[in-house]
Amino acid sequence: MTLIVRTGARGIATLTLDSPANRNALSAALVGELRDALADCAADDTVRAVVLTHTGSTFCAGADLTAPPDPEAFVGLMREIVALPKPVVARVTGHVRAGGMGLLAACDIAVAGEGSSFALTESRLGLAPAVISLTLLPRVDRTAANRYYLTGERFDAAEAARIGLVTVAPEDVEKGLAPVLDGLRRASPQGLAASKELVTATVLRSFDQYAEDLIARSAALFASDEAREGMTAFLERRDPAWVR
């Protein structure tokens, strides 16, 4: 079954996360297919930019707890989005959770509709937003990161725009996306690649410096007793033992 659907028009390749049954969760299969699709876009001279979007009511629910990707593969996916020599634009009209936030933050530009919602739910599972910090922390306002990393609260598209997670939160996503795509079509391939390289250089250095440690930290948390209780409680739709 194909989990990533590719379409294209006038130099824009659209990659659609198409696994609505599990809310486009980051399974090993989805991560692998998305990495392959991005590599194809990078090699395709007719592609000027990439739009990353979704079917269903959820952009990405985070890690698929029943079939999770290898942490190095997910980190590799985020890095490839950041390093792709073509802009990647997220088009969001639904919910974004946990690891999906890291995927979103890896994109160069994000347009989110009014019905979108966002949450970093890791702390409620006995985990932490470890590897996704590589893309989130350079992008999100520090005060907001302090709050949402710790509390796991849900917030809307307007708040996501205020804190820097998304670029714009228009009433009409297509109208908000149109000037962005028009601007990308008017830019030269060389100009886009060179300009993106300037704004992503610091983020890529962070990957090189911190990714290995964060992968190890994430693995240790996933293997802990608290995380097992948190994930079990989540799957059983109950409060974990520590809730008071």
Side-chain angles (χ1 to χ4, degrees), residues 155-223:
F155 55 95
D156 63 14
E159 175 71 352
R162 186 191 71 80
I163 67 176
L165 176 64
V166 305
T167 311
V168 61
E171 291 184 10
D172 185 310
V173 170
E174 301 312 322
K175 287 183 178 179
L177 195 59
V180 172
L181 298 185
D182 181 64
L184 296 177
R185 288 185 173 110
R186 291 176 181 276
S188 81
Q190 175 177 282
L192 287 175
S195 298
K196 176 168 177 173
E197 188 177 10
L198 290 173
V199 296
T200 59
T202 301
V203 180
L204 291 173
R205 283 197 294 270
S206 293
F207 271 86
D208 296 337
Q209 187 171 357
Y210 300 117
E212 187 174 339
D213 174 68
L214 289 171
I215 289 170
R217 190 178 308 185
S218 179
L221 286 168
F222 267 95

Side-chain angles (χ1 to χ4, degrees), residues 118-156:
F118 307 82
L120 290 159
T121 54
E122 288 88 344
S123 66
R124 299 187 180 192
L125 298 176
L127 302 169
V131 296
I132 63 174
S133 291
L134 291 164
T135 57
L136 277 168
L137 290 182
R139 186 171 189 134
V140 172
D141 172 81
R142 180 60 181 270
T143 301
N146 287 345
R147 175 176 180 175
Y148 296 122
Y149 265 51
L150 297 175
T151 67
E153 292 171 90
R154 184 182 304 179
F155 55 95
D156 63 14

Side-chain angles (χ1 to χ4, degrees), residues 217-242:
R217 190 178 308 185
S218 179
L221 286 168
F222 267 95
S224 69
D225 291 339
E226 278 195 16
R228 279 191 289 272
E229 165 60 12
M231 289 184 284
T232 299
F234 174 79
L235 294 171
E236 294 178 352
R237 298 181 181 275
R238 62 171 174 82
D239 284 339
W242 57 75

